[in-house]
Amino acid sequence: MEYTESMNDLADALQQPVDFNFDLPDPEDEAISESEFLTQVDIAWQVCDRFDLQTDIWRGRILRAVRDREKIGGDGRGTGFLHWLKEREISKSQGYNWIQLANSADTLLAEGKLEEKCIKNFSKRAFIETAKAVPEVQHMVTEAAQKGDKITRREVKQLTEEWTAMTSDLLPQPVKEKAADNSLPPRYIAPLVREMEKLPEVHQVVIQKEIAANPDLDTIKSATTEARNLAKYLKASAQVQALTQQDVDIETALLEAQRVGCLNTAADLVNQASQLEQIIGKLYMTWKRVGNLADRLYVDTGASTPQLRGLLECIEPLGSQLMTIQIGSPNERTVRLQIQEEEN
């Protein structure tokens, strides 16, 4: 009975929600400077952001309870939980994002890193970034929050970048030393580390030698771009059938390209090949669909539908094995494509 009454009290309280009554500056008031105007609206935004954070954490806890209840008494496929979400017009991804946020909050609270009352000191994005950070950064951030400091995403991001620049094993000592005296800003080093983490060791070593020999900002930026492209192209190469069908060591091949100075060309070739194969696959499925629809329409039309038959006659060739199209303007070039199906 006591539990029911407390929930009823909570429901009654919701009939009189928190009264937000911000004194927002008049956007047409030219007497207010631009900096003052932005400061005032930013303060109001932060209040909403922090209120939204605490609300979303509780949403996540509620959804987690509904999901876990479904695991015990449901059909094992989560249909009851998904139906609950659908009734409230909540997408599956949004629901699980809230659950993840609640899990992060409860983890920080359970480990004693944070007190419940201090959550209000975080902006929503800052809290999410803190939950994803390494334990050392979490400790520094939550310690500041316990003292009453207002935590924004900018502070969390800055601390994370500084920690990465000072501690990552992927960075050679000359780079770490420059990060320590801030002659190399951590905000440029952290993205390099993130991209290098995606690479095989053989490529990491090459980049490490480059930045150790020239530990300056231009080299760091260039190495970051190189690592990002390399990771992207290595991922693409795994999807290229033309490469998987042959005994090609793509990592060594790209390393050779890096050595002779044509990495971007070789990597772009792999990326374009991956895209071309995907386009061919999509073209085949679309071609089959056009052919099937044309056959169906042919059966359903006749002399009573001359315009529909005319439409069919124009489009039907695109479903044939030999297709001809004009590209460019006006009709600059004729392209013919032939599709031949073979059973493996």
Side-chain angles (χ1 to χ4, degrees), residues 89-272:
E89 299 182 348
I90 302 170
S91 69
K92 183 178 177 181
S93 61
Q94 179 63 74
Y96 277 100
N97 283 338
W98 278 332
I99 290 176
Q100 185 179 26
L101 181 63
N103 289 340
S104 299
D106 291 346
T107 298
L108 291 175
L109 292 168
E111 293 176 354
K113 296 178 180 177
L114 189 66
E115 296 178 12
E116 183 89 41
K117 64 181 181 180
C118 297
I119 291 179
K120 68 179 185 297
N121 293 330
F122 288 83
S123 70
K124 183 177 178 181
R125 295 179 70 186
F127 189 84
I128 294 172
E129 289 295 323
T130 302
K132 294 190 298 184
V134 297
E136 292 81 4
V137 173
Q138 285 183 353
H139 176 74
M140 289 186 285
V141 173
T142 54
E143 193 175 58
Q146 303 279 41
K147 295 178 181 177
D149 295 348
K150 300 301 181 183
I151 310 298
T152 67
R153 180 173 177 267
R154 184 180 304 142
E155 282 87 20
V156 181
K157 186 171 182 288
Q158 182 178 344
L159 281 172
T160 301
E161 290 171 345
E162 290 175 355
W163 181 262
T164 300
M166 299 288 288
T167 62
S168 175
D169 293 335
L170 294 176
L171 296 173
Q173 194 59 34
V175 174
K176 289 184 178 182
E177 291 173 358
K178 284 184 173 291
D181 64 20
N182 210 34
S183 57
L184 272 179
R187 69 176 183 275
Y188 292 107
I189 299 175
L192 172 61
V193 173
R194 287 196 294 269
E195 296 303 330
M196 288 180 67
E197 289 174 344
K198 304 174 186 177
L199 299 177
E201 184 178 358
V202 63
H203 294 290
Q204 291 174 349
V205 170
V206 174
I207 293 176
Q208 286 168 340
K209 289 180 179 179
E210 291 178 1
I211 59 179
N214 298 290
D216 54 49
L217 188 56
D218 287 341
T219 304
I220 294 295
K221 289 181 178 180
S222 176
T224 302
T225 300
E226 181 180 321
R228 182 182 297 115
N229 290 337
L230 193 53
K232 182 167 56 177
Y233 300 139
L234 284 170
K235 181 180 179 181
S237 66
Q239 302 171 349
V240 179
Q241 294 183 29
L243 294 175
T244 58
Q245 292 170 359
Q246 302 293 329
D247 186 19
V248 177
D249 187 337
I250 185 62
E251 292 184 11
T252 304
L254 289 180
L255 196 62
E256 292 172 352
Q258 194 174 24
R259 176 169 53 80
V260 298
C262 60
L263 172 62
N264 288 341
T265 303
D268 196 29
L269 174 62
V270 171
N271 190 44
Q272 294 298 323

Side-chain angles (χ1 to χ4, degrees), residues 1 13 26 48 64 89 95 178 180 199 208 214 218 231 247 299 301 307 328 332 335:
M1 178 66 71
D26 184 353
C48 293
R64 185 176 62 200
E89 299 182 348
K178 284 184 173 291
L199 299 177
Q208 286 168 340
N214 298 290
D218 287 341
D247 186 19
V299 172
T301 57
Q307 296 302 321
E332 180 181 333
V335 176

Side-chain angles (χ1 to χ4, degrees), residues 29-41:
D29 187 354
E30 297 182 356
I32 302 176
S33 67
E34 185 69 14
S35 61
E36 184 181 353
F37 175 85
L38 293 175
T39 299
Q40 290 186 38
V41 295

